[in-house]
Amino acid sequence: MLPRLGAKYDIELEVTSQPNAQYQTDEYFDLELPVAPAVMVGEEVVTEGSDIAEDKLEAAIRRHLDLPELPRKGFVSRLLGA
C-alpha cells in the first residue's frame, strides 16, 4: 500500500521496523513516538496500535499535501472496486 501511495503522491516514505521488544523499552517511550504499529503523516499520528485502511491513509496524505478530499464512494462502488 505505501509504495503505491508514494508513487501516486510526491511524498517521502520512511519505514521503521524493530523487534517488538524494542518498542516496549523506556528509551522508546522517551522518544514520544506513537505506540507501534503506527502511521504518521508529517506530524499527524494517523493511527497507533492498529492497522489502517488505505482510504484513511490516502485522506491523511491529501490533507498533508493540502489537496482536496476525494469524493466518498458508496457501498456498492467499494464492494465492486469501482
Side-chain angles (χ1 to χ4, degrees), residues 11-14 33-34 39-46 57 60-65:
I11 58 171
E12 180 181 327
L13 301 174
E14 181 180 335
L33 292 172
V39 175
M40 293 179 69
V41 177
E43 296 297 316
E44 176 186 358
V45 177
V46 182
L57 178 56
I61 291 169
R62 293 182 68 82
R63 279 193 308 275
H64 179 73
L65 297 174

Side-chain angles (χ1 to χ4, degrees), residues 28-29 32-40 45-52:
Y28 181 80
F29 288 111
E32 297 182 13
L33 292 172
V35 176
V39 175
M40 293 179 69
V45 177
V46 182
T47 185
E48 70 179 297
S50 65
D51 292 332
I52 186 170

Side-chain angles (χ1 to χ4, degrees), residues 5-23:
L5 290 174
K8 185 174 181 179
Y9 298 100
D10 186 23
I11 58 171
E12 180 181 327
L13 301 174
E14 181 180 335
V15 177
T16 303
S17 180
Q18 302 177 37
N20 284 342
Q22 285 189 301
Y23 292 114

